[in-house]
Amino acid sequence: MFSLIPSIKVRTTILKRGLTDRSAPVRKECLKMLKDEWLSKYSNGDPVALLKFLDVETYESVGETVMETLLQDGSVTVQDDQGIRLFLSLRHETEEGQSILGVRLMEAEEALFWRTICRHLHDEMKAKESDTARTTGAEAMVYAKQASANNNLLEKILPATISDYVELVKAHLVAGSNYLFATRQLLLLGTMLDFSDATNRKVAGSFVQELFHRPPEEEVDNDGVKFIIGDGIHLGGERNWATAVSELARKVHASGGEFERMVFSVIEELARPCRERCADSIQWLHCLAVVGLLLENVKSIQSLQGTAMETSELLHSLLIPGAKHVHVDVRRAATRCLGLFALRDRKLSEEAVKQLRLSFIHGPSPVSIMACKVLIDLAWWLGPGEVDRAMGLDLPPSCNDKKNFDTVNLSGLNDDPGIALLDLLYSGFDKDDVDECFCTNEPETIRFVLGEGFAKILLLSEKYPCISASLHALMLRRLISLYFCEEKDELQRLKQCLSVFFDHYPAVSSNHKKCISEAFIPIIRSMWPGICGNSGGSSTVVSNMRKRAVQVSRYLLQMMQTPLYTKEPEEDTSTHSSPQSINESMQPSIDIVCGEEGLAIRIAAEVTSCPMKATASGKAYILALCRIIVLIKFRSSDQKAIKCMRGLLGRIFGFVSADRELSKELTRMAVRLRDLDEHPDQELSKDQANAIFENLGIEYEGSLITDISTVVPPTPAQRTTRTATSRRRVRHESSSDDDDQEPTPAPVTRTTTPGITRSQRASKTVALSRISARTAAAAALDTDDDESGLTSEESSSDGSEDPNAF
């Protein structure tokens, strides 16, 4: 059975992708395979048997998709004699004469099957009721009849009374952890029951109270230490369980404020031993789990005013003390609740933010990671400036002009350094204990959380105008360095996230070009072996490092050339500026900072100012940068950048003359720039060039050489053994009247070079070489004067362009 499918993972992958594919034919074929092969042939038409081959406890969403698809298609139907009531049909009499309800426990597949069936019928009933309300007459009667049919079938499937439902769920709870999945499905099924009756609501409310008071499961290790089973954060040890409990509680306590008052009453009872400092770690975690569930389901802290426990008391007597608890798991859970409290607080609490910063700085790895997540969420939702203002930090009015982060050594701090939030988080990249979490089996690291957080900030950079573009460049530089660092297992997940980020960031951020342009040179310089004190090691290591640096540079250029989703206006290249407007066009603009022209000028300035031109690493570094320059395209509208780049190319040619191919590429680029220059004979003044360099943040002291013919020597032609003769052509004139006449060759004057006499005993090899040289010279003499103004001595033997053309 299912022998053609090698594993459950492959089965679920096929269904997950096939049933949700964009292509209708693909979905149709996948559904056909599901019905005809997997359901009918291998499962004998039983959907529960089909679900057993999909491991719904692990791949719950796939099981839901399969059931919903089959229900929509009509391949799965329910008969009147089927339903959840069959699991409650066993009753027996006790010795006292009482009737006890017998329960047959559900398997995971059965629980998911009935939950999806009931959800489908419930949604169909609501949809038909909505259609009935929108229409009139016979059409409305048809919809009403369909809604009634779905409602009747749903009532036959569900337990007859709320008491029966509660008994069914309790039986699965008592059965232990093996039936937790089925129990959770039954809790979700309870949201489709009717709790309008006061008696039913009282029974269900009492059951919900039991769910909130149910302590987390725990075990004892070999040393006698208790530890909780689950994530230690959510009620029941997992998010899905906490979600199911909260949804059922909201359905039972649906009146305004009733849910909040009920949960707060539970918190007040659970917090009593914690406030009296007599609770153990399990009690602390249980109480904080209920607090977290409450804070996740309210819109603001202010909506909790007037409850059994005041919000200020919740903060100062429970959350902050919990964040300082000796037990690491308690501190982590309290830090999470502290973050939820801060997000729900309309006026950000200074005490909450201060404790979160201290937990990030001094906390052990699990606590520091949680605090890092919370602080990034606060910066993401509220803005970093709002968080800093809550701390009373006086931000400079010119924060938009900030060039660098104010980093500190977090490992050596005894207290909060009092720096801005982004500066504090950026310092976390260099924490000494970034790898400590791998000793505690934590799935995440500080660098992972920070990398993901800064990537979010860059994606939404338009929402944070207080963050300067220079800081964006530093963030991007850090992310790129992490993405292209040495292969490490702990960074694989981060690299996967950054791969998606790099695909989307250039297309959604209008500031990405400026960030890449500013970060380009520092990134490549830091990665190149032999530059900035990076020796690199063996030749193999150096070669690999150089290849990686080249890969990064091309990757950055590719990101730079990615257009935005919104179509940018096309530039008008049909008109040319007049001589009167040349001085105006030379003024620096922000466009050069964000465009590829600015990147080219930055790279060219780096080449000319590299202090290690004489070393092997420096030469390789310069050649690699020059190979990037030739890939950059200039626009005719930016005349100042064209003239500046022409001048820098004149300085670059002297450094790459040994590489003939690269020299030809640069020559071709110089030709293109000269063609784009609307006034090629007009030089760029020193003040205009300095304005461009200042706008780009470049310190450049050299001169510009626009005419590169002074620095690029022409390739010498092949020498001949005789002087150049006057150009004479042999003309062959013929007509129909004298076809038989032989053409008269024109006389050729031969001039013998003084001091050289022809040897009468020259060997055959010397004679042949001279004949070859004479043939090449004659071919050069046959070139038309209108096609080239160069002599054979001025033309390049390798076919490159004329450097004097610039």
Side-chain angles (χ1 to χ4, degrees):
M1 188 175 293
F2 290 98
S3 58
L4 298 179
I5 306 301
S7 66
I8 294 177
K9 184 176 181 180
V10 173
R11 301 171 196 168
T12 55
T13 301
I14 292 174
L15 294 174
K16 181 179 179 180
R17 297 180 180 178
L19 296 177
T20 59
D21 195 87
R22 295 181 180 180
S23 175
V26 173
R27 296 195 302 270
K28 183 179 179 180
E29 288 298 321
C30 186
L31 178 59
K32 181 180 178 181
M33 177 195 67
L34 177 63
K35 294 191 306 180
D36 299 344
E37 296 290 330
W38 294 11
L39 178 61
S40 300
K41 183 177 179 180
Y42 297 121
S43 302
N44 297 323
D46 185 3
V48 176
L50 173 64
L51 293 177
K52 290 183 178 180
F53 292 101
L54 301 179
D55 188 11
V56 294
E57 292 189 71
T58 305
Y59 305 99
E60 182 178 356
S61 61
V62 178
E64 292 177 351
T65 303
V66 169
M67 284 300 303
E68 186 62 30
T69 303
L70 294 176
L71 288 169
Q72 292 287 350
D73 184 70
S75 301
V76 174
T77 58
V78 180
Q79 304 300 324
D80 293 342
D81 58 346
Q82 295 178 325
I84 298 176
R85 297 185 182 187
L86 296 178
F87 295 88
L88 298 165
S89 61
L90 303 178
R91 291 181 178 270
H92 62 276
E93 299 291 333
T94 63
E95 296 179 355
E96 292 80 7
Q98 296 178 346
S99 178
I100 301 299
L101 179 67
V103 176
R104 180 170 68 86
L105 298 178
M106 290 185 180
E107 297 296 331
E109 298 79 17
E110 293 175 316
L112 179 65
F113 172 79
W114 288 114
R115 198 258 293 176
T116 53
I117 287 287
C118 292
R119 173 56 61 185
H120 176 76
L121 293 174
H122 184 269
D123 293 343
E124 286 290 320
M125 179 188 67
K126 294 296 182 181
K128 297 304 179 183
E129 289 178 349
S130 178
D131 293 338
T132 303
R134 287 200 317 268
T135 57
T136 59
E139 185 178 4
M141 294 180 61
V142 172
Y143 289 139
K145 184 177 181 180
Q146 293 175 348
S148 178
N150 288 327
N151 183 53
N152 293 335
L153 181 58
L154 184 61
E155 288 183 351
K156 292 179 180 180
I157 294 175
L158 293 173
T161 64
I162 297 298
S163 298
D164 289 349
Y165 167 74
V166 171
E167 290 296 328
L168 178 64
V169 180
K170 284 184 177 181
H172 286 79
L173 276 174
V174 174
S177 58
N178 291 334
Y179 290 90
L180 282 180
F181 180 87
T183 308
R184 180 164 59 83
Q185 303 301 313
L186 293 174
L187 291 179
L188 294 173
L189 186 143
T191 59
M192 289 169 272
L193 298 175
D194 183 14
F195 299 100
S196 59
D197 182 74
T199 304
N200 290 338
R201 191 163 58 251
K202 182 178 180 180
V203 173
S206 176
F207 173 62
V208 168
Q209 288 270 350
E210 293 182 24
L211 291 175
F212 275 95
H213 282 89
R214 183 171 179 266
E217 295 187 20
E218 59 183 63
E219 290 185 0
V220 181
D221 60 13
N222 297 331
D223 298 329
V225 179
K226 295 181 180 180
F227 63 93
I228 195 171
I229 298 177
D231 57 16
I233 294 178
H234 297 95
L235 185 66
E238 63 175 18
R239 177 181 291 275
N240 292 334
W241 177 268
T243 301
V245 172
S246 64
E247 289 184 4
L248 178 60
R250 278 193 169 278
K251 183 63 183 293
V252 174
H253 302 282
S255 301
E258 184 180 355
F259 170 78
E260 290 80 2
R261 290 192 296 270
M262 184 273 298
V263 180
F264 235 131
S265 64
V266 176
I267 294 174
E268 185 183 25
E269 183 178 349
L270 295 177
R272 189 173 297 115
C274 299
R275 295 164 62 184
E276 296 173 357
R277 303 298 183 263
C278 60
D280 59 11
S281 60
I282 304 298
Q283 292 174 303
W284 268 100
L285 291 174
H286 185 195
C287 179
L288 291 172
V290 179
V291 172
L293 185 146
L294 174 66
L295 294 175
E296 284 182 323
N297 287 273
V298 297
K299 294 182 179 180
S300 66
I301 294 296
Q302 284 67 29
S303 64
L304 300 176
Q305 298 294 341
T307 52
M309 187 177 184
E310 294 295 332
T311 55
S312 60
E313 186 180 4
L314 175 66
L315 174 64
H316 293 95
S317 64
L318 189 63
L319 299 186
I320 292 181
K324 299 177 181 179
H325 198 273
V326 65
H327 198 280
V328 175
D329 290 338
V330 175
R331 294 173 65 181
R332 183 171 67 115
T335 301
R336 173 181 176 269
C337 293
L338 203 58
L340 291 172
F341 185 94
L343 286 173
R344 301 296 187 269
D345 195 359
R346 294 176 183 173
K347 184 179 179 182
L348 200 56
S349 171
E350 178 181 355
E351 294 87 349
V353 175
K354 185 175 181 180
Q355 181 58 50
L356 289 172
R357 290 168 61 103
L358 291 175
S359 297
F360 171 67
I361 297 170
H362 302 300
S365 184
V367 178
S368 183
I369 290 174
M370 181 60 71
C372 183
K373 291 180 179 180
V374 171
L375 290 173
I376 288 177
D377 285 342
L378 289 175
W380 192 30
W381 286 101
L382 306 177
E386 188 68 24
V387 182
D388 292 332
R389 278 188 287 271
M391 280 288 295
L393 298 177
D394 296 329
L395 300 179
S398 59
C399 60
N400 290 333
D401 300 329
K402 189 173 181 179
K403 301 297 182 182
N404 294 292
F405 285 105
D406 301 327
T407 58
V408 293
N409 183 9
L410 299 182
S411 301
L413 289 179
N414 296 322
D415 200 358
D416 194 317
I419 61 176
L421 176 61
L422 289 184
D423 296 331
L424 180 68
L425 293 175
Y426 196 82
S427 301
F429 280 114
D430 300 321
K431 284 192 69 174
D432 292 340
D433 57 345
V434 291
D435 294 329
E436 180 184 342
C437 58
F438 295 100
C439 300
T440 58
N441 297 321
E442 286 291 329
E444 297 173 332
T445 66
I446 286 288
R447 280 187 291 181
F448 173 82
V449 176
L450 290 174
E452 188 179 40
F454 280 111
K456 290 180 180 178
I457 293 176
L458 286 176
L459 287 175
L460 301 175
S461 57
E462 306 295 335
K463 295 178 58 178
Y464 314 114
C466 64
I467 306 177
S468 67
S470 297
L471 297 185
H472 290 174
L474 293 177
M475 297 180 202
L476 182 64
R477 175 182 172 184
R478 175 68 73 167
L479 296 182
I480 293 174
S481 299
L482 289 174
Y483 183 69
F484 287 99
C485 70
E486 295 290 335
E487 293 292 336
K488 292 183 178 179
D489 294 338
E490 65 268 22
L491 292 179
Q492 287 307 308
R493 186 180 171 193
L494 174 60
K495 290 182 178 181
Q496 293 175 358
C497 296
L498 291 180
S499 177
V500 178
F501 162 73
F502 290 137
D503 288 340
H504 290 81
Y505 172 63
V508 300
S509 174
S510 59
N511 200 35
H512 76 277
K513 292 185 177 181
K514 184 176 186 296
C515 294
I516 297 172
S517 179
E518 291 184 359
F520 188 95
I521 292 300
I523 290 175
I524 306 303
R525 186 190 298 164
S526 63
M527 297 184 66
W528 196 267
I531 306 295
C532 299
N534 185 7
S535 60
S538 64
S539 59
T540 303
V541 173
V542 169
S543 177
N544 293 335
M545 292 176 67
R546 290 179 180 176
K547 291 179 180 179
R548 183 173 293 272
V550 172
Q551 177 189 7
V552 174
S553 62
R554 293 182 180 272
Y555 190 83
L556 290 176
L557 181 59
Q558 183 182 359
M559 289 176 59
M560 187 105 178
Q561 295 172 343
T562 302
L564 286 170
Y565 285 140
T566 56
K567 185 177 181 181
E568 298 178 346
E570 297 180 357
E571 50 185 305
D572 185 10
T573 59
S574 58
T575 59
H576 299 280
S577 59
S578 60
Q580 290 80 6
S581 63
I582 294 177
N583 291 331
E584 297 179 359
S585 66
M586 293 302 171
Q587 298 301 321
S589 64
I590 191 64
D591 187 56
I592 194 175
V593 180
C594 300
E596 295 182 43
E597 296 87 352
L599 176 60
I601 293 174
R602 292 179 192 273
I603 298 176
E606 174 74 3
V607 171
T608 57
S609 60
C610 181
M612 305 180 67
K613 299 182 181 68
T615 64
S617 297
K619 292 178 181 179
Y621 178 61
I622 289 175
L623 293 178
L625 291 180
C626 289
R627 289 188 175 93
I628 298 299
I629 291 179
V630 298
L631 300 177
I632 299 178
K633 299 177 182 179
F634 278 70
R635 296 165 292 182
S636 61
S637 59
D638 206 340
Q639 291 291 306
K640 59 185 179 299
I642 293 173
K643 285 188 176 294
C644 183
M645 192 64 199
R646 288 185 63 200
L648 289 173
L649 278 181
R651 298 287 307 277
I652 290 176
F653 271 101
F655 306 136
V656 298
S657 57
D659 192 320
R660 294 181 59 188
E661 293 298 326
L662 182 56
S663 297
K664 289 194 292 184
E665 291 290 335
L666 290 174
T667 302
R668 281 190 278 269
M669 181 178 183
V671 172
R672 293 194 300 269
L673 291 177
R674 186 183 185 281
D675 293 339
L676 292 175
D677 196 342
E678 297 173 359
H679 306 279
D681 298 330
Q682 188 170 356
E683 297 289 339
L684 192 68
S685 67
K686 184 67 173 178
D687 293 338
Q688 292 168 345
N690 290 337
I692 293 176
F693 294 137
E694 182 180 358
N695 203 26
L696 292 173
I698 300 174
E699 296 181 0
Y700 183 80
E701 302 295 338
S703 59
L704 301 180
I705 305 176
T706 303
D707 185 7
I708 66 171
S709 62
T710 60
V711 295
V712 183
T715 304
Q718 190 172 5
R719 293 185 178 182
T720 181
T721 57
R722 60 185 177 86
T723 58
T725 60
S726 60
R727 297 189 179 184
R728 303 285 299 277
R729 261 197 237 175
V730 179
R731 300 188 60 183
H732 300 272
E733 298 181 358
S734 60
S735 63
S736 59
D737 297 332
D738 53 357
D739 289 339
D740 297 335
Q741 295 180 1
E742 293 291 337
T744 304
V748 178
T749 305
R750 298 181 182 274
T751 304
T752 305
T753 304
I756 300 179
T757 59
R758 183 178 180 87
S759 174
Q760 299 298 326
R761 299 180 177 271
S763 65
K764 182 177 180 181
T765 304
V766 176
L768 290 175
S769 63
R770 291 184 177 179
I771 291 174
S772 300
R774 192 177 298 114
T775 303
L781 291 176
D782 285 339
T783 305
D784 194 352
D785 293 339
D786 295 335
E787 297 177 357
S788 174
L790 303 177
T791 63
S792 61
E793 294 180 356
E794 295 171 336
S795 61
S796 174
S797 62
D798 59 2
S800 61
E801 288 83 356
D802 176 22
N804 294 321
F806 315 110

